[in-house]
Amino acid sequence: MTFVQNRGGLAFIVMSPFFYIRFIISTKPRNQTAVSEFLLLELTEDPAGQLLLFSLFLSMYLVTVLGNLLIILAIRSDTHLHTPMYFFLSNLSFTDICMSTSTIPKMLLNIQAQSQSISYIGCLSQVFFLMVFLVLENCLLTAMAYDRYVAICHPLMYPIIMNPSFCVFLVLVSLFISGVNSLLHTLMVLQLSFCTHLEIPDFFCELSQVIKSACSDTLINNILMYFFSVILGGSALFGIIFSYSLIVCSLLRLPSSGRKYKAFSTCGSHLLVVSLFYGTAFGVYISSSVTESSRKTAVASLMYSVVPQILNPFIYSLRNEDMKMALGKIFGRISFLR
């Protein structure tokens, strides 16, 4: 990275064998209004409805945090769950907590204060962290699919391939990819100019809506957004589908139907979570393409950032006998202390 002083301000240049990006931090006043805050979409104007929504989202947030914390605590406290599958699950639960925390608390604060404003820095921070945890969850689901593939198709090599060092490496690579992707998009948003119309047609700062609110040229931003969405989302989805296609082919060769059911039952919870994650994402895309109502699109986007995170703990705890036993031990200790 190098810094260059020019007439427009201070520029820094990021160069690598794969890309060349030049960002300019302007030190001169622009014709556009200096951005201090954005206005988010109001959930409802009815005071009674606001109280109901506040209670609803507060309950959903608490259930999300407590449910995922219980999953993490159960995995940490039970040595039988110290396996690669549950290691990825604990990271997924932590990601769900962080993803919900990046949006819901600010919504609750705005409802209580009866204000829809969010500062410019706060909006960019929300964009950054929401994208970090969104891409991280996407990568973790792919890693979990690969873990199931190795466990079922190569059971004898499973302890060697999915060793602790490799599992940590997969998580760190996922975090690096999500961090670099989010940082790139956030830095590109910093280059945009915003005029007097600073309303964002969403309940939180989402990248595409922030880009639409800009009054400067957003061609590069849109190209990068769609390019990385296709590359990261498409490659992850392809990896999951490819892993499960190999799993199905391997199970079809098993002679015993009981062994088939037992082997595939370990994939049931993960398949439900994957279907929920990509199903809600596809719903947001369809909603934004079919309807012109910004409120309907915002509601679909909100469901995408809230519903999977609150349901994941229930999916893994209700469909997994090992997790049920670990949670039972935790509740047993709590009742014993009382």
Side-chain angles (χ1 to χ4, degrees), residues 227-292:
F227 174 77
F228 283 105
S229 296
V230 171
I231 293 297
L232 296 177
S235 59
L237 185 59
F238 173 79
I240 293 172
I241 294 174
F242 183 70
S243 296
Y244 275 103
S245 63
L246 294 177
I247 289 173
V248 171
C249 292
S250 178
L251 292 178
L252 291 176
R253 292 194 294 266
L254 291 177
S256 172
S257 58
R259 291 178 62 188
K260 291 179 182 179
Y261 174 78
K262 184 178 180 180
F264 197 74
S265 62
T266 61
C267 307
S269 299
H270 180 253
L271 280 175
L272 280 176
V273 171
V274 168
S275 301
L276 187 63
F277 182 79
Y278 287 102
T280 51
F282 186 69
V284 172
Y285 176 76
I286 294 296
S287 176
S288 60
S289 301
V290 173
T291 180
E292 296 181 356

Short mmCIF file of all heavy atoms in Angstrom, two decimals, residues 227-292:
data_model
loop_
_atom_site.label_atom_id
_atom_site.label_comp_id
_atom_site.label_asym_id
_atom_site.label_seq_id
_atom_site.Cartn_x
_atom_site.Cartn_y
_atom_site.Cartn_z
N PHE A 227 -20.36 -9.16 -8.70
CA PHE A 227 -19.29 -10.10 -9.02
C PHE A 227 -18.95 -10.97 -7.81
O PHE A 227 -18.91 -12.20 -7.91
CB PHE A 227 -18.05 -9.33 -9.49
CG PHE A 227 -16.84 -10.20 -9.70
CD1 PHE A 227 -16.73 -10.99 -10.84
CD2 PHE A 227 -15.82 -10.25 -8.76
CE1 PHE A 227 -15.62 -11.80 -11.04
CE2 PHE A 227 -14.70 -11.05 -8.94
CZ PHE A 227 -14.61 -11.83 -10.09
N PHE A 228 -18.72 -10.33 -6.67
CA PHE A 228 -18.36 -11.10 -5.47
C PHE A 228 -19.54 -11.89 -4.92
O PHE A 228 -19.34 -12.94 -4.31
CB PHE A 228 -17.78 -10.18 -4.40
CG PHE A 228 -16.36 -9.76 -4.67
CD1 PHE A 228 -16.06 -8.49 -5.11
CD2 PHE A 228 -15.32 -10.65 -4.49
CE1 PHE A 228 -14.75 -8.10 -5.37
CE2 PHE A 228 -14.00 -10.29 -4.74
CZ PHE A 228 -13.72 -9.01 -5.18
N SER A 229 -20.76 -11.38 -5.12
CA SER A 229 -21.94 -12.15 -4.69
C SER A 229 -22.04 -13.45 -5.47
O SER A 229 -22.31 -14.52 -4.89
CB SER A 229 -23.21 -11.32 -4.89
OG SER A 229 -23.20 -10.17 -4.08
N VAL A 230 -21.79 -13.37 -6.78
CA VAL A 230 -21.86 -14.58 -7.62
C VAL A 230 -20.71 -15.51 -7.30
O VAL A 230 -20.89 -16.73 -7.16
CB VAL A 230 -21.86 -14.19 -9.12
CG1 VAL A 230 -21.70 -15.43 -9.99
CG2 VAL A 230 -23.14 -13.46 -9.48
N ILE A 231 -19.49 -14.96 -7.16
CA ILE A 231 -18.32 -15.79 -6.91
C ILE A 231 -18.40 -16.48 -5.56
O ILE A 231 -18.27 -17.71 -5.45
CB ILE A 231 -17.03 -14.95 -7.00
CG1 ILE A 231 -16.80 -14.47 -8.45
CG2 ILE A 231 -15.83 -15.77 -6.53
CD1 ILE A 231 -16.59 -15.58 -9.45
N LEU A 232 -18.65 -15.71 -4.50
CA LEU A 232 -18.67 -16.27 -3.15
C LEU A 232 -19.91 -17.13 -2.91
O LEU A 232 -19.81 -18.26 -2.43
CB LEU A 232 -18.58 -15.15 -2.11
CG LEU A 232 -17.28 -14.34 -2.12
CD1 LEU A 232 -17.34 -13.22 -1.09
CD2 LEU A 232 -16.08 -15.23 -1.84
N GLY A 233 -21.07 -16.58 -3.26
CA GLY A 233 -22.30 -17.34 -3.05
C GLY A 233 -22.41 -18.54 -3.97
O GLY A 233 -22.78 -19.64 -3.53
N GLY A 234 -22.05 -18.35 -5.23
CA GLY A 234 -22.15 -19.44 -6.20
C GLY A 234 -21.17 -20.57 -5.92
O GLY A 234 -21.53 -21.74 -6.00
N SER A 235 -19.92 -20.21 -5.58
CA SER A 235 -18.93 -21.25 -5.30
C SER A 235 -19.28 -22.03 -4.04
O SER A 235 -19.11 -23.26 -3.98
CB SER A 235 -17.54 -20.63 -5.17
OG SER A 235 -17.51 -19.67 -4.12
N ALA A 236 -19.81 -21.33 -3.02
CA ALA A 236 -20.21 -22.02 -1.79
C ALA A 236 -21.38 -22.96 -2.04
O ALA A 236 -21.38 -24.11 -1.58
CB ALA A 236 -20.57 -20.99 -0.71
N LEU A 237 -22.38 -22.47 -2.77
CA LEU A 237 -23.54 -23.31 -3.06
C LEU A 237 -23.15 -24.51 -3.92
O LEU A 237 -23.63 -25.64 -3.71
CB LEU A 237 -24.61 -22.48 -3.76
CG LEU A 237 -25.95 -23.18 -4.04
CD1 LEU A 237 -26.57 -23.68 -2.74
CD2 LEU A 237 -26.91 -22.25 -4.76
N PHE A 238 -22.26 -24.28 -4.89
CA PHE A 238 -21.78 -25.39 -5.72
C PHE A 238 -21.03 -26.41 -4.87
O PHE A 238 -21.19 -27.63 -5.06
CB PHE A 238 -20.86 -24.86 -6.83
CG PHE A 238 -20.19 -25.94 -7.62
CD1 PHE A 238 -20.87 -26.62 -8.61
CD2 PHE A 238 -18.85 -26.27 -7.37
CE1 PHE A 238 -20.25 -27.64 -9.34
CE2 PHE A 238 -18.22 -27.27 -8.09
CZ PHE A 238 -18.93 -27.96 -9.08
N GLY A 239 -20.20 -25.94 -3.94
CA GLY A 239 -19.46 -26.85 -3.06
C GLY A 239 -20.39 -27.70 -2.21
O GLY A 239 -20.15 -28.90 -2.02
N ILE A 240 -21.47 -27.09 -1.70
CA ILE A 240 -22.43 -27.82 -0.88
C ILE A 240 -23.17 -28.87 -1.72
O ILE A 240 -23.31 -30.03 -1.32
CB ILE A 240 -23.42 -26.84 -0.22
CG1 ILE A 240 -22.70 -25.97 0.80
CG2 ILE A 240 -24.57 -27.60 0.45
CD1 ILE A 240 -23.54 -24.85 1.36
N ILE A 241 -23.64 -28.46 -2.89
CA ILE A 241 -24.37 -29.39 -3.77
C ILE A 241 -23.47 -30.53 -4.22
O ILE A 241 -23.87 -31.70 -4.24
CB ILE A 241 -24.96 -28.63 -4.98
CG1 ILE A 241 -26.03 -27.64 -4.53
CG2 ILE A 241 -25.54 -29.60 -6.00
CD1 ILE A 241 -26.56 -26.76 -5.63
N PHE A 242 -22.23 -30.20 -4.58
CA PHE A 242 -21.29 -31.22 -5.02
C PHE A 242 -20.97 -32.21 -3.90
O PHE A 242 -20.90 -33.43 -4.12
CB PHE A 242 -20.01 -30.55 -5.52
CG PHE A 242 -19.00 -31.51 -6.08
CD1 PHE A 242 -19.23 -32.17 -7.29
CD2 PHE A 242 -17.81 -31.76 -5.40
CE1 PHE A 242 -18.30 -33.06 -7.81
CE2 PHE A 242 -16.87 -32.64 -5.92
CZ PHE A 242 -17.12 -33.29 -7.12
N SER A 243 -20.78 -31.69 -2.67
CA SER A 243 -20.50 -32.57 -1.52
C SER A 243 -21.65 -33.53 -1.28
O SER A 243 -21.43 -34.74 -1.09
CB SER A 243 -20.23 -31.72 -0.27
OG SER A 243 -19.07 -30.93 -0.42
N TYR A 244 -22.87 -33.02 -1.32
CA TYR A 244 -24.01 -33.89 -1.04
C TYR A 244 -24.33 -34.83 -2.19
O TYR A 244 -24.89 -35.90 -1.97
CB TYR A 244 -25.22 -33.05 -0.65
CG TYR A 244 -25.22 -32.70 0.81
CD1 TYR A 244 -24.85 -31.44 1.25
CD2 TYR A 244 -25.56 -33.65 1.77
CE1 TYR A 244 -24.83 -31.12 2.59
CE2 TYR A 244 -25.55 -33.35 3.11
CZ TYR A 244 -25.18 -32.09 3.52
OH TYR A 244 -25.14 -31.79 4.86
N SER A 245 -23.98 -34.46 -3.40
CA SER A 245 -24.15 -35.39 -4.51
C SER A 245 -23.21 -36.59 -4.34
O SER A 245 -23.60 -37.74 -4.60
CB SER A 245 -23.91 -34.69 -5.84
OG SER A 245 -22.56 -34.23 -5.94
N LEU A 246 -21.99 -36.33 -3.90
CA LEU A 246 -21.05 -37.42 -3.62
C LEU A 246 -21.50 -38.26 -2.42
O LEU A 246 -21.32 -39.48 -2.41
CB LEU A 246 -19.65 -36.86 -3.36
CG LEU A 246 -18.95 -36.17 -4.55
CD1 LEU A 246 -17.61 -35.60 -4.12
CD2 LEU A 246 -18.77 -37.13 -5.71
N ILE A 247 -22.10 -37.60 -1.43
CA ILE A 247 -22.61 -38.32 -0.27
C ILE A 247 -23.75 -39.26 -0.68
O ILE A 247 -23.79 -40.43 -0.27
CB ILE A 247 -23.09 -37.33 0.81
CG1 ILE A 247 -21.89 -36.63 1.46
CG2 ILE A 247 -23.92 -38.04 1.88
CD1 ILE A 247 -22.27 -35.52 2.42
N VAL A 248 -24.66 -38.76 -1.50
CA VAL A 248 -25.80 -39.59 -1.96
C VAL A 248 -25.29 -40.78 -2.77
O VAL A 248 -25.76 -41.92 -2.59
CB VAL A 248 -26.78 -38.74 -2.79
CG1 VAL A 248 -27.82 -39.62 -3.46
CG2 VAL A 248 -27.46 -37.71 -1.90
N CYS A 249 -24.33 -40.54 -3.65
CA CYS A 249 -23.77 -41.65 -4.45
C CYS A 249 -23.10 -42.69 -3.56
O CYS A 249 -23.21 -43.90 -3.81
CB CYS A 249 -22.76 -41.11 -5.46
SG CYS A 249 -23.49 -40.10 -6.76
N SER A 250 -22.42 -42.24 -2.51
CA SER A 250 -21.79 -43.17 -1.59
C SER A 250 -22.81 -43.95 -0.79
O SER A 250 -22.64 -45.15 -0.55
CB SER A 250 -20.85 -42.40 -0.65
OG SER A 250 -20.24 -43.25 0.28
N LEU A 251 -23.89 -43.31 -0.38
CA LEU A 251 -24.91 -44.00 0.42
C LEU A 251 -25.68 -45.02 -0.42
O LEU A 251 -26.11 -46.06 0.11
CB LEU A 251 -25.90 -42.97 1.00
CG LEU A 251 -25.34 -42.04 2.09
CD1 LEU A 251 -26.41 -41.06 2.54
CD2 LEU A 251 -24.80 -42.83 3.26
N LEU A 252 -25.86 -44.74 -1.69
CA LEU A 252 -26.58 -45.69 -2.55
C LEU A 252 -25.83 -47.01 -2.70
O LEU A 252 -26.44 -48.04 -3.02
CB LEU A 252 -26.83 -45.06 -3.93
CG LEU A 252 -27.83 -43.90 -3.96
CD1 LEU A 252 -27.92 -43.31 -5.36
CD2 LEU A 252 -29.21 -44.36 -3.48
N ARG A 253 -24.51 -46.96 -2.48
CA ARG A 253 -23.72 -48.18 -2.60
C ARG A 253 -23.70 -49.01 -1.32
O ARG A 253 -23.19 -50.12 -1.32
CB ARG A 253 -22.29 -47.83 -3.01
CG ARG A 253 -22.17 -47.26 -4.43
CD ARG A 253 -20.73 -47.26 -4.90
NE ARG A 253 -19.91 -46.34 -4.11
CZ ARG A 253 -19.65 -45.08 -4.47
NH1 ARG A 253 -20.19 -44.59 -5.58
NH2 ARG A 253 -18.88 -44.32 -3.71
N LEU A 254 -24.25 -48.46 -0.23
CA LEU A 254 -24.30 -49.21 1.02
C LEU A 254 -25.36 -50.31 0.93
O LEU A 254 -26.49 -50.05 0.50
CB LEU A 254 -24.61 -48.27 2.20
CG LEU A 254 -23.51 -47.27 2.59
CD1 LEU A 254 -23.99 -46.38 3.72
CD2 LEU A 254 -22.23 -47.99 3.01
N PRO A 255 -25.06 -51.52 1.38
CA PRO A 255 -26.04 -52.61 1.27
C PRO A 255 -27.18 -52.51 2.29
O PRO A 255 -28.30 -52.92 2.02
CB PRO A 255 -25.19 -53.87 1.53
CG PRO A 255 -24.05 -53.38 2.37
CD PRO A 255 -23.76 -51.98 1.92
N SER A 256 -26.91 -51.97 3.46
CA SER A 256 -27.90 -51.94 4.53
C SER A 256 -28.65 -50.62 4.53
O SER A 256 -28.04 -49.54 4.50
CB SER A 256 -27.22 -52.13 5.89
OG SER A 256 -28.13 -51.92 6.94
N SER A 257 -29.99 -50.70 4.55
CA SER A 257 -30.81 -49.49 4.60
C SER A 257 -30.66 -48.79 5.94
O SER A 257 -30.77 -47.56 6.05
CB SER A 257 -32.28 -49.83 4.35
OG SER A 257 -32.74 -50.76 5.31
N GLY A 258 -30.43 -49.57 7.01
CA GLY A 258 -30.22 -48.98 8.33
C GLY A 258 -28.99 -48.12 8.39
O GLY A 258 -28.98 -47.03 8.97
N ARG A 259 -27.91 -48.59 7.78
CA ARG A 259 -26.67 -47.82 7.73
C ARG A 259 -26.85 -46.57 6.88
O ARG A 259 -26.28 -45.51 7.18
CB ARG A 259 -25.54 -48.68 7.18
CG ARG A 259 -25.11 -49.81 8.12
CD ARG A 259 -24.01 -50.65 7.48
NE ARG A 259 -22.81 -49.84 7.21
CZ ARG A 259 -21.78 -50.28 6.52
NH1 ARG A 259 -21.79 -51.51 6.00
NH2 ARG A 259 -20.73 -49.51 6.33
N LYS A 260 -27.64 -46.69 5.81
CA LYS A 260 -27.92 -45.51 4.98
C LYS A 260 -28.63 -44.43 5.79
O LYS A 260 -28.26 -43.26 5.74
CB LYS A 260 -28.79 -45.91 3.78
CG LYS A 260 -28.10 -46.77 2.75
CD LYS A 260 -29.07 -47.11 1.62
CE LYS A 260 -28.42 -48.03 0.60
NZ LYS A 260 -29.37 -48.39 -0.49
N TYR A 261 -29.65 -44.85 6.53
CA TYR A 261 -30.42 -43.88 7.32
C TYR A 261 -29.56 -43.24 8.40
O TYR A 261 -29.60 -42.02 8.62
CB TYR A 261 -31.64 -44.56 7.95
CG TYR A 261 -32.41 -43.66 8.88
CD1 TYR A 261 -33.28 -42.68 8.38
CD2 TYR A 261 -32.26 -43.77 10.26
CE1 TYR A 261 -33.97 -41.85 9.23
CE2 TYR A 261 -32.95 -42.94 11.12
CZ TYR A 261 -33.81 -41.98 10.60
OH TYR A 261 -34.50 -41.16 11.45
N LYS A 262 -28.76 -44.07 9.09
CA LYS A 262 -27.91 -43.55 10.16
C LYS A 262 -26.87 -42.57 9.63
O LYS A 262 -26.59 -41.54 10.24
CB LYS A 262 -27.22 -44.71 10.87
CG LYS A 262 -26.37 -44.28 12.06
CD LYS A 262 -25.74 -45.48 12.75
CE LYS A 262 -24.90 -45.04 13.94
NZ LYS A 262 -24.27 -46.19 14.62
N ALA A 263 -26.30 -42.89 8.47
CA ALA A 263 -25.28 -42.01 7.89
C ALA A 263 -25.88 -40.69 7.43
O ALA A 263 -25.32 -39.61 7.66
CB ALA A 263 -24.59 -42.71 6.72
N PHE A 264 -27.05 -40.77 6.78
CA PHE A 264 -27.64 -39.55 6.24
C PHE A 264 -28.33 -38.72 7.32
O PHE A 264 -28.52 -37.51 7.14
CB PHE A 264 -28.65 -39.90 5.14
CG PHE A 264 -29.00 -38.73 4.25
CD1 PHE A 264 -28.09 -38.27 3.31
CD2 PHE A 264 -30.22 -38.07 4.37
CE1 PHE A 264 -28.39 -37.19 2.50
CE2 PHE A 264 -30.53 -37.00 3.56
CZ PHE A 264 -29.61 -36.56 2.62
N SER A 265 -28.71 -39.34 8.45
CA SER A 265 -29.37 -38.60 9.52
C SER A 265 -28.44 -37.54 10.12
O SER A 265 -28.91 -36.53 10.66
CB SER A 265 -29.84 -39.55 10.62
OG SER A 265 -28.73 -40.22 11.21
N THR A 266 -27.13 -37.77 10.04
CA THR A 266 -26.18 -36.78 10.54
C THR A 266 -26.14 -35.53 9.66
O THR A 266 -25.64 -34.49 10.09
CB THR A 266 -24.76 -37.37 10.61
OG1 THR A 266 -24.35 -37.77 9.31
CG2 THR A 266 -24.74 -38.59 11.52
N CYS A 267 -26.68 -35.64 8.44
CA CYS A 267 -26.69 -34.50 7.51
C CYS A 267 -28.01 -33.73 7.54
O CYS A 267 -28.10 -32.65 6.95
CB CYS A 267 -26.44 -34.97 6.08
SG CYS A 267 -24.96 -35.97 5.86
N GLY A 268 -29.02 -34.29 8.21
CA GLY A 268 -30.35 -33.69 8.16
C GLY A 268 -30.41 -32.27 8.68
O GLY A 268 -30.98 -31.37 8.04
N SER A 269 -29.80 -32.04 9.85
CA SER A 269 -29.83 -30.69 10.44
C SER A 269 -29.10 -29.69 9.55
O SER A 269 -29.57 -28.57 9.35
CB SER A 269 -29.19 -30.72 11.83
OG SER A 269 -29.90 -31.58 12.70
N HIS A 270 -27.95 -30.10 9.03
CA HIS A 270 -27.18 -29.19 8.17
C HIS A 270 -27.95 -28.86 6.89
O HIS A 270 -27.96 -27.71 6.44
CB HIS A 270 -25.84 -29.83 7.81
CG HIS A 270 -24.98 -28.97 6.93
ND1 HIS A 270 -24.77 -29.24 5.60
CD2 HIS A 270 -24.32 -27.82 7.18
CE1 HIS A 270 -24.00 -28.31 5.08
NE2 HIS A 270 -23.70 -27.44 6.02
N LEU A 271 -28.64 -29.84 6.31
CA LEU A 271 -29.43 -29.60 5.11
C LEU A 271 -30.56 -28.63 5.38
O LEU A 271 -30.88 -27.77 4.55
CB LEU A 271 -29.98 -30.92 4.56
CG LEU A 271 -29.01 -31.77 3.73
CD1 LEU A 271 -29.65 -33.10 3.37
CD2 LEU A 271 -28.59 -31.03 2.47
N LEU A 272 -31.20 -28.75 6.55
CA LEU A 272 -32.27 -27.82 6.91
C LEU A 272 -31.74 -26.39 7.05
O LEU A 272 -32.36 -25.44 6.58
CB LEU A 272 -32.93 -28.26 8.21
CG LEU A 272 -33.96 -29.38 8.12
CD1 LEU A 272 -34.46 -29.76 9.51
CD2 LEU A 272 -35.15 -28.96 7.25
N VAL A 273 -30.58 -26.24 7.70
CA VAL A 273 -29.98 -24.92 7.88
C VAL A 273 -29.58 -24.32 6.53
O VAL A 273 -29.81 -23.13 6.26
CB VAL A 273 -28.77 -25.01 8.82
CG1 VAL A 273 -28.01 -23.68 8.85
CG2 VAL A 273 -29.22 -25.38 10.22
N VAL A 274 -29.00 -25.14 5.66
CA VAL A 274 -28.60 -24.67 4.32
C VAL A 274 -29.84 -24.24 3.53
O VAL A 274 -29.84 -23.18 2.88
CB VAL A 274 -27.84 -25.77 3.56
CG1 VAL A 274 -27.68 -25.42 2.10
CG2 VAL A 274 -26.47 -25.99 4.19
N SER A 275 -30.89 -25.04 3.58
CA SER A 275 -32.12 -24.71 2.87
C SER A 275 -32.72 -23.41 3.39
O SER A 275 -33.22 -22.58 2.62
CB SER A 275 -33.14 -25.84 3.01
OG SER A 275 -32.62 -27.05 2.51
N LEU A 276 -32.69 -23.22 4.71
CA LEU A 276 -33.22 -22.01 5.31
C LEU A 276 -32.39 -20.79 4.91
O LEU A 276 -32.94 -19.73 4.57
CB LEU A 276 -33.24 -22.16 6.84
CG LEU A 276 -33.92 -21.07 7.65
CD1 LEU A 276 -35.39 -21.00 7.33
CD2 LEU A 276 -33.72 -21.32 9.14
N PHE A 277 -31.07 -20.94 4.92
CA PHE A 277 -30.16 -19.83 4.61
C PHE A 277 -30.32 -19.38 3.16
O PHE A 277 -30.56 -18.20 2.87
CB PHE A 277 -28.73 -20.25 4.88
CG PHE A 277 -27.70 -19.18 4.64
CD1 PHE A 277 -27.49 -18.19 5.57
CD2 PHE A 277 -26.94 -19.17 3.47
CE1 PHE A 277 -26.54 -17.19 5.35
CE2 PHE A 277 -26.00 -18.20 3.24
CZ PHE A 277 -25.79 -17.20 4.18
N TYR A 278 -30.22 -20.33 2.24
CA TYR A 278 -30.30 -19.97 0.82
C TYR A 278 -31.76 -19.75 0.39
O TYR A 278 -32.01 -18.99 -0.57
CB TYR A 278 -29.65 -21.05 -0.03
CG TYR A 278 -28.15 -21.05 0.06
CD1 TYR A 278 -27.48 -21.99 0.85
CD2 TYR A 278 -27.38 -20.10 -0.60
CE1 TYR A 278 -26.10 -22.00 0.95
CE2 TYR A 278 -26.01 -20.10 -0.50
CZ TYR A 278 -25.37 -21.04 0.27
OH TYR A 278 -24.00 -21.02 0.39
N GLY A 279 -32.71 -20.39 1.06
CA GLY A 279 -34.11 -20.17 0.73
C GLY A 279 -34.56 -18.76 1.02
O GLY A 279 -35.23 -18.12 0.20
N THR A 280 -34.18 -18.24 2.20
CA THR A 280 -34.54 -16.86 2.52
C THR A 280 -33.79 -15.86 1.63
O THR A 280 -34.33 -14.82 1.26
CB THR A 280 -34.22 -16.57 4.00
OG1 THR A 280 -32.87 -16.97 4.30
CG2 THR A 280 -35.17 -17.30 4.92
N ALA A 281 -32.53 -16.19 1.28
CA ALA A 281 -31.78 -15.32 0.35
C ALA A 281 -32.46 -15.27 -1.01
O ALA A 281 -32.58 -14.20 -1.62
CB ALA A 281 -30.35 -15.82 0.22
N PHE A 282 -32.90 -16.43 -1.48
CA PHE A 282 -33.61 -16.47 -2.77
C PHE A 282 -34.93 -15.73 -2.67
O PHE A 282 -35.35 -15.06 -3.62
CB PHE A 282 -33.86 -17.93 -3.16
CG PHE A 282 -34.46 -18.11 -4.53
CD1 PHE A 282 -33.72 -17.84 -5.67
CD2 PHE A 282 -35.77 -18.55 -4.67
CE1 PHE A 282 -34.26 -17.99 -6.93
CE2 PHE A 282 -36.33 -18.71 -5.93
CZ PHE A 282 -35.57 -18.44 -7.07
N GLY A 283 -35.58 -15.80 -1.51
CA GLY A 283 -36.83 -15.06 -1.31
C GLY A 283 -36.63 -13.56 -1.38
O GLY A 283 -37.47 -12.84 -1.93
N VAL A 284 -35.52 -13.07 -0.81
CA VAL A 284 -35.21 -11.65 -0.89
C VAL A 284 -35.00 -11.23 -2.34
O VAL A 284 -35.48 -10.18 -2.78
CB VAL A 284 -33.96 -11.31 -0.05
CG1 VAL A 284 -33.51 -9.87 -0.28
CG2 VAL A 284 -34.25 -11.55 1.42
N TYR A 285 -34.28 -12.05 -3.10
CA TYR A 285 -34.01 -11.74 -4.50
C TYR A 285 -35.31 -11.70 -5.31
O TYR A 285 -35.53 -10.78 -6.11
CB TYR A 285 -33.05 -12.77 -5.09
CG TYR A 285 -32.80 -12.60 -6.57
CD1 TYR A 285 -31.96 -11.60 -7.04
CD2 TYR A 285 -33.43 -13.42 -7.51
CE1 TYR A 285 -31.73 -11.43 -8.40
CE2 TYR A 285 -33.21 -13.26 -8.86
CZ TYR A 285 -32.37 -12.26 -9.31
OH TYR A 285 -32.16 -12.08 -10.64
N ILE A 286 -36.18 -12.68 -5.09
CA ILE A 286 -37.46 -12.72 -5.81
C ILE A 286 -38.32 -11.53 -5.43
O ILE A 286 -38.95 -10.89 -6.28
CB ILE A 286 -38.21 -14.04 -5.52
CG1 ILE A 286 -37.43 -15.23 -6.10
CG2 ILE A 286 -39.63 -14.01 -6.07
CD1 ILE A 286 -37.30 -15.21 -7.60
N SER A 287 -38.35 -11.20 -4.13
CA SER A 287 -39.16 -10.09 -3.66
C SER A 287 -38.71 -8.77 -4.27
O SER A 287 -39.54 -7.95 -4.68
CB SER A 287 -39.10 -10.02 -2.14
OG SER A 287 -39.81 -8.91 -1.65
N SER A 288 -37.41 -8.56 -4.34
CA SER A 288 -36.89 -7.32 -4.91
C SER A 288 -37.09 -7.25 -6.42
O SER A 288 -37.17 -6.16 -6.99
CB SER A 288 -35.40 -7.17 -4.59
OG SER A 288 -34.66 -8.25 -5.12
N SER A 289 -37.19 -8.41 -7.08
CA SER A 289 -37.36 -8.44 -8.53
C SER A 289 -38.83 -8.29 -8.94
O SER A 289 -39.14 -7.66 -9.95
CB SER A 289 -36.80 -9.75 -9.10
OG SER A 289 -35.44 -9.90 -8.79
N VAL A 290 -39.72 -8.88 -8.14
CA VAL A 290 -41.14 -8.91 -8.51
C VAL A 290 -41.87 -7.66 -8.08
O VAL A 290 -42.61 -7.05 -8.84
CB VAL A 290 -41.81 -10.17 -7.90
CG1 VAL A 290 -43.32 -10.13 -8.14
CG2 VAL A 290 -41.22 -11.42 -8.50
N THR A 291 -41.69 -7.26 -6.81
CA THR A 291 -42.44 -6.14 -6.27
C THR A 291 -41.63 -4.85 -6.33
O THR A 291 -40.41 -4.86 -6.25
CB THR A 291 -42.85 -6.41 -4.81
OG1 THR A 291 -43.59 -5.30 -4.32
CG2 THR A 291 -41.63 -6.63 -3.93
N GLU A 292 -42.35 -3.73 -6.47
CA GLU A 292 -41.71 -2.42 -6.44
C GLU A 292 -41.85 -1.76 -5.09
O GLU A 292 -41.36 -0.66 -4.88
CB GLU A 292 -42.33 -1.51 -7.52
CG GLU A 292 -42.09 -2.01 -8.94
CD GLU A 292 -42.68 -1.09 -9.98
OE1 GLU A 292 -43.34 -0.09 -9.57
OE2 GLU A 292 -42.49 -1.32 -11.19
#
